[in-house]
Amino acid sequence: MIIFIAQHCPVYDTSFDVRFIFKDDGWTALIGAAVHGHLEVTQLLLDRGCDKEATDDDGRTALIESVVHGHLEVTQLLLDRGCDKEATDFMTKVLMSDVFFKYDESTALIEAAYYGHLEVTQLLLDRGCDIEATKDDGSTALMLAAGGGRLEVARLLIDRGCNKDATTGKVGRTALMWAAWNGHLDVTRLLIDRGCDKEATTNDGRTALHFAAEEGRLERSLNVY
């Protein structure tokens, strides 16, 4: 019941245990309020001592969930209250009936870039989030922004000095390769204009041009290169 209140209702006075966890997805009341962007409820729950660093079944804290859903004011409040801005989440994949594989490890900044939340990304950068933090595969915030076609987020990250030519660990893809592979012409042009290495290669020798050609990105292959 406390989760329903946190998701759907205005500020209230309650004697419920604010540590209650919803069994289906591991949400605490605070996480539920953050997911739905309820600023006053989030503030109340923090005032009542909710665990700021509690995680749901995907390893996401209230801060990460707020960022994922693009709630700027709730994100600002959680940062003001000292939430760990470098905490990472994980995704759980069932390999067999009783075997689980956990992967991802995205920070709040990486999630903001992935979902294209420009103002939230700017806030996190202003608060000192690690611009070079990586997922478990080596992907950075810029790579996720480029791969998703998030032009303004990519521009912001470059303006803030991120490593434009960073590579993923196992494969060696760059942000430019991700943009070309997914057909994002405007992001591809931005990265080239900002000096990204067009001739950088993956561990198996492919360039961004290879990725564009493989996916049939004619305009990207002919007009950009």
Side-chain angles (χ1 to χ4, degrees):
M1 182 176 181
I2 185 70
I3 298 295
F4 177 84
I5 293 172
Q7 292 177 17
H8 300 285
C9 296
V11 173
Y12 59 95
D13 187 14
T14 180
S15 60
F16 287 123
D17 183 355
V18 295
R19 297 169 299 174
F20 180 84
I21 298 175
F22 190 52
K23 65 180 180 179
D24 286 349
D25 51 23
W27 282 7
T28 63
L30 180 61
I31 291 173
V35 166
H36 292 275
H38 298 312
L39 180 63
E40 291 181 320
V41 177
T42 301
Q43 184 170 348
L44 173 66
L45 293 171
L46 290 169
D47 291 343
R48 295 295 179 89
C50 279
D51 182 359
K52 302 188 297 290
E53 306 306 335
T55 60
D56 60 20
D57 289 346
D58 288 327
R60 289 175 170 174
T61 61
L63 175 62
I64 292 176
E65 287 287 12
S66 176
V67 166
V68 165
H69 292 86
H71 300 310
L72 180 63
E73 291 184 336
V74 172
T75 299
Q76 184 171 349
L77 172 63
L78 291 166
L79 290 170
D80 288 344
R81 293 298 184 93
C83 287
D84 182 1
K85 57 183 182 290
E86 302 299 344
T88 59
D89 62 9
F90 57 78
M91 300 300 289
T92 303
K93 182 177 181 181
V94 179
L95 298 181
M96 295 182 289
S97 59
D98 59 349
V99 178
F100 296 87
F101 174 62
K102 294 179 180 179
Y103 65 99
D104 199 3
E105 298 183 356
S106 295
T107 63
L109 179 61
I110 289 172
E111 293 285 15
Y114 176 76
Y115 286 100
H117 300 310
L118 180 61
E119 291 183 328
V120 175
T121 301
Q122 184 171 346
L123 171 64
L124 293 170
L125 290 170
D126 290 344
R127 294 299 182 91
C129 285
D130 183 2
I131 199 170
E132 303 300 345
T134 64
K135 295 170 53 173
D136 60 354
D137 66 355
S139 298
T140 64
L142 179 61
M143 292 178 198
L144 273 293
R150 314 299 190 182
L151 177 63
E152 294 307 320
V153 173
R155 192 191 313 276
L156 172 63
L157 291 166
I158 294 170
D159 287 344
R160 293 296 184 95
C162 70
N163 182 358
K164 303 185 294 294
D165 291 314
T167 60
T168 56
K170 295 180 180 179
V171 179
R173 290 194 186 104
T174 64
L176 180 59
M177 292 172 191
W178 280 111
W181 191 23
N182 288 318
H184 300 304
L185 181 59
D186 51 356
V187 179
T188 301
R189 283 176 170 158
L190 170 69
L191 293 170
I192 292 173
D193 289 344
R194 294 299 183 92
C196 285
D197 184 1
K198 294 185 292 184
E199 304 306 326
T201 61
T202 59
N203 296 339
D204 62 0
R206 289 182 291 173
T207 65
L209 179 58
H210 285 102
F211 283 103
E214 286 171 11
E215 295 301 313
R217 312 297 186 186
L218 179 63
E219 185 178 7
R220 283 76 180 163
S221 301
L222 294 179
N223 293 348
V224 175
Y225 295 92

